[in-house]
Amino acid sequence: AYACTGASMEQLTALDFLTASQGMVLPIYEFIFNPETVTQKLGKRLVYDSIIRIESQPGQHTLIGKSGQVYQADKVVVATPATVTQQLLGIREIRAASQLHVFHVKARLKAEFRQHSANLLPYSSEIMMINKQHDGTHLIYAREKEVDLQQVCAQFHLLASMHWENAMYIQGPAYLEQQYGNGIYIAGDHNGLGLEPTAISGIFAANQILGEGV
């Protein structure tokens, strides 16, 4: 659970702990998102912009884009990170997020870590997990950005790194309603970690809109 979330047992609810632990007993699948296919399906209905403000009136919502374009809609699905959703909708409280930092290295691990393809470390270590890749390189996950990789590496060369200051919203009881106001729906991982809760919330929003009539 720590390797997946970057949080200690004391910070996790039982539900989040069990969700994270499923990876130990169930197969984990990869998927590839193909933006070209989605673009072709949506055609001219697909518009790229950044919404900076939502103004709502009964039965009508006005979305102001960073481009200066103004959009009118009677149904809106906000499928953004929780911090962005909070800002757009003026939500007072959301669940706290953990930080995750991943380092892709070409390394010679220390002896105690060489025999396994995956090493899971306890919360007392700021390094969470070490995963060996098919090409012999390693992914090292940590909860701190300025982590000393020599804790686990005898030698290493950093190939790339990624940092998420708000990685997983997993702490606290501030669960959000999926239907927010008149014709506004929330989709995402605000209430449960993983792609599955994200997809379920999106399907819920779609079903609500289809049930009400588009």
Side-chain angles (χ1 to χ4, degrees):
Y2 170 53
C4 290
T5 65
S8 70
M9 288 286 293
E10 291 75 17
Q11 294 170 313
L12 290 175
T13 65
L15 178 60
D16 288 326
F17 168 73
L18 292 172
T19 300
S21 299
Q22 287 184 98
M24 301 297 290
V25 294
L26 295 174
I28 297 177
Y29 299 96
E30 294 183 359
F31 79 96
I32 298 174
F33 176 72
N34 190 326
E36 290 79 14
T37 300
V38 175
T39 300
Q40 291 174 2
K41 287 184 178 181
L42 295 177
K44 295 181 179 179
R45 291 172 293 182
L46 177 62
V47 177
Y48 286 97
D49 202 345
S50 296
I51 302 302
I52 58 176
R53 192 166 75 254
I54 298 176
E55 299 175 353
S56 296
Q57 301 292 332
Q60 187 70 39
H61 307 286
T62 302
L63 289 76
I64 296 88
K66 190 175 182 180
S67 65
Q69 184 70 35
V70 177
Y71 308 91
Q72 301 288 338
D74 56 1
K75 302 285 191 301
V76 177
V77 179
V78 182
T80 58
T83 51
V84 178
T85 303
Q86 181 182 34
Q87 180 180 357
L88 288 174
L89 299 181
I91 297 172
R92 187 170 66 176
E93 186 180 7
I94 59 174
R95 302 183 81 195
S98 62
Q99 294 187 25
L100 290 181
H101 308 277
V102 60
F103 305 88
H104 187 196
V105 298
K106 184 176 182 181
R108 183 172 180 267
L109 298 181
K110 289 187 174 180
E112 61 264 39
F113 303 114
R114 290 176 200 162
Q115 57 183 322
H116 303 294
S117 59
N119 289 275
L120 309 181
L121 285 81
Y123 189 73
S124 56
S125 167
E126 58 189 359
I127 293 177
M128 302 150 46
M129 176 169 57
I130 310 166
N131 268 346
K132 187 174 182 179
Q133 305 300 290
H134 294 299
D135 61 358
T137 62
H138 292 84
L139 293 178
I140 301 177
Y141 296 81
R143 70 171 188 267
E144 301 291 343
K145 186 175 183 179
E146 303 299 330
V147 64
D148 181 11
L149 299 182
Q150 290 184 329
Q151 295 179 72
V152 296
C153 298
Q155 297 175 330
F156 74 92
H157 171 66
L158 182 64
L159 301 173
S161 62
M162 287 289 293
H163 308 280
W164 292 273
E165 298 297 329
N166 294 295
M168 294 184 179
Y169 300 89
I170 52 169
Q171 301 174 39
Y175 295 97
L176 302 182
E177 295 290 341
Q178 298 302 119
Q179 186 167 349
Y180 189 87
N182 182 24
I184 294 183
Y185 303 91
I186 292 176
D189 60 352
H190 315 73
N191 295 334
L193 64 93
L195 289 175
E196 292 83 0
T198 302
I200 291 169
S201 65
I203 293 170
F204 170 81
N207 286 338
Q208 292 296 111
I209 292 171
L210 291 172
E212 295 177 6
V214 178

